[in-house]
Amino acid sequence: MNLPPTDSIRVPAASLSELSTSLFVSAGLSRLDAERITSLLIDCDLRGVLSHGTLQISGYVSHFLGGQLNPAPCLRVSGEDSATALVDGDGGLGHLAAYRATELAIARARASGVGTAATRNHGHYGAAGSYTRMAAGHGCVGFSVSGHTMGSFRLDRPTWNPFGNPPMSFAFPCGDEAPLVLDMGTSFFEPEHFPALFGQAPAAFFKSIGLVAVANLLSGVMTGMMLPQFQPGNRQYAAAGYGAFVAAVDIGRFVPLKAFVAEVDRTMREVHALPPLPGYARYDLPGGLEREREHDWARDGIPLGREHRKGLERIAAELGIPVPWQCGASVASQK
């Protein structure tokens, strides 16, 4: 789970956004691409999805500088028809290809009721919820997964999950309440938990392994990442081993959107009235806490923990970019 760090300082979103954009531009990206990626990363940070926000920048920029990702990709859209599209990411970071694919899926959903788009040949695409929330904002149910081919298996890999931890997200629009946004890794367990927990809940492990396999088949295999030109020894950019799949469904084709969001709101209020689970202050569905953080952190600043700051400071020093909390910008300690 993404929990606020205890060793953090609060950094205004605008300052962090300026730093992020500058780092990407210095790594060779166009300002337009740098701002698009930054917007998605800051959006994650504001919602408390810190694992997939600006924490990732040092790794992304290192891949650009090292030639593992293409800083100037030319996205190519092919296979377009009334319901589908395929976006080739040209070795760039996955955020750009996934954002374009989501736009295409939404446009097709609005025109035909259902829209899907796949991407391939790009790097990590961040949080799956970034794209499903785009669909929900247009009156659609959104679905997204990202992953890679499952590769060959070795006996020294843990049998509890030999496929990785691809993300999966669903999002539903709402009215006055927080939208339901399920944004998760499909692997539910850490390796060290397997020996102790498998015997207690084997069904949970098997369901998790099944979800991981489904996500990779939809995003790594159905997108064509197993084709010869995308294999590790053949592709130009080593870190561009990912694909993604996005779907949008126009709710209004089945039920009036107004009635749907009213029922989502009613459900959310009913859930909030339930007794909280042990150790928690309230009962909520995915998306509620994130919207609350988005409001509060936009006002108070994004809490950056020590390791988060160190990663940004390291890559900023390498590129000669000033860091706001090191040059007198307004920040506050988090107690």
Side-chain angles (χ1 to χ4, degrees):
M1 294 180 64
N2 276 283
L3 299 175
T6 57
D7 56 352
S8 67
I9 60 172
R10 295 274 185 172
V11 178
S15 298
L16 191 56
S17 179
E18 182 178 352
L19 172 63
S20 173
T21 300
S22 297
L23 290 171
F24 284 125
V25 169
S26 294
L29 279 72
S30 71
R31 177 158 291 275
L32 183 64
D33 286 351
E35 289 175 347
R36 170 69 67 210
I37 295 168
T38 290
S39 176
L40 293 167
L41 298 179
I42 295 295
D43 182 65
C44 286
D45 280 347
L46 284 171
R47 291 175 60 80
V49 188
L50 297 168
S51 59
H52 287 66
T54 55
L55 177 69
Q56 296 285 340
I57 289 177
S58 61
Y60 293 156
V61 170
S62 293
H63 279 151
F64 288 126
L65 297 176
Q68 290 88 25
L69 285 176
N70 182 4
C74 180
L75 303 185
R76 296 184 290 273
V77 180
S78 61
E80 293 187 84
D81 58 30
S82 62
T84 67
L86 176 63
V87 180
D88 187 305
D90 192 29
L93 195 57
H95 300 66
L96 300 173
Y99 189 92
R100 180 63 181 140
T102 306
E103 289 182 321
L104 293 170
I106 293 168
R108 281 151 179 71
R110 299 310 300 260
S112 303
V114 177
T116 62
T119 67
R120 66 188 183 195
N121 188 28
H122 55 71
H124 188 244
Y125 88 155
S130 296
Y131 312 106
T132 59
R133 290 173 58 234
M134 287 173 60
H138 286 82
C140 296
V141 174
F143 170 74
S144 182
V145 291
S146 180
H148 43 71
T149 55
M150 291 184 278
S152 58
F153 306 124
R154 303 194 309 266
L155 292 178
D156 61 335
R157 288 178 174 167
T159 55
W160 70 277
N161 179 13
F163 309 137
N165 186 20
M168 178 179 290
S169 178
F170 295 86
F172 300 83
C174 66
D176 297 327
E177 300 295 323
L180 195 163
V181 183
L182 178 63
D183 186 6
M184 64 181 190
T186 46
S187 178
F188 301 158
F189 304 97
E190 299 297 332
E192 61 269 21
H193 296 161
F194 179 87
L197 297 180
F198 179 77
Q200 300 177 40
F205 280 84
F206 288 126
K207 290 176 182 178
S208 176
I209 291 170
L211 281 174
V212 170
V214 166
N216 278 324
L217 288 172
L218 280 173
S219 58
V221 179
M222 195 170 74
T223 63
M225 287 304 295
M226 74 291 189
L227 298 175
Q229 63 267 38
F230 302 123
Q231 290 300 292
N234 298 332
R235 60 179 181 255
Q236 182 177 0
Y237 298 97
Y242 291 86
F245 177 75
V246 182
V249 180
D250 186 353
I251 293 166
R253 302 299 181 109
F254 302 97
V255 63
L257 180 60
K258 184 177 180 179
F260 181 89
V261 298
E263 182 61 16
V264 173
D265 280 359
R266 187 199 65 79
T267 300
M268 289 295 191
R269 289 190 291 269
E270 292 286 337
V271 165
H272 294 160
L274 294 171
L277 295 171
Y280 290 85
R282 70 185 190 196
Y283 204 120
D284 210 342
L285 289 176
L289 177 60
E290 289 82 358
R291 189 174 78 162
E292 184 177 290
R293 285 176 174 169
E294 189 173 21
H295 175 270
D296 293 344
W297 293 6
R299 180 194 63 215
D300 302 331
I302 297 167
L304 302 188
R306 182 178 295 109
E307 292 304 313
H308 193 154
R309 300 194 303 275
K310 285 172 61 177
L312 292 172
E313 290 164 4
R314 179 188 64 77
I315 203 67
E318 183 175 342
L319 293 171
I321 303 296
V323 175
W325 54 89
Q326 291 183 327
C327 57
S330 176
V331 296
S333 297
Q334 174 72 20
K335 302 300 183 182

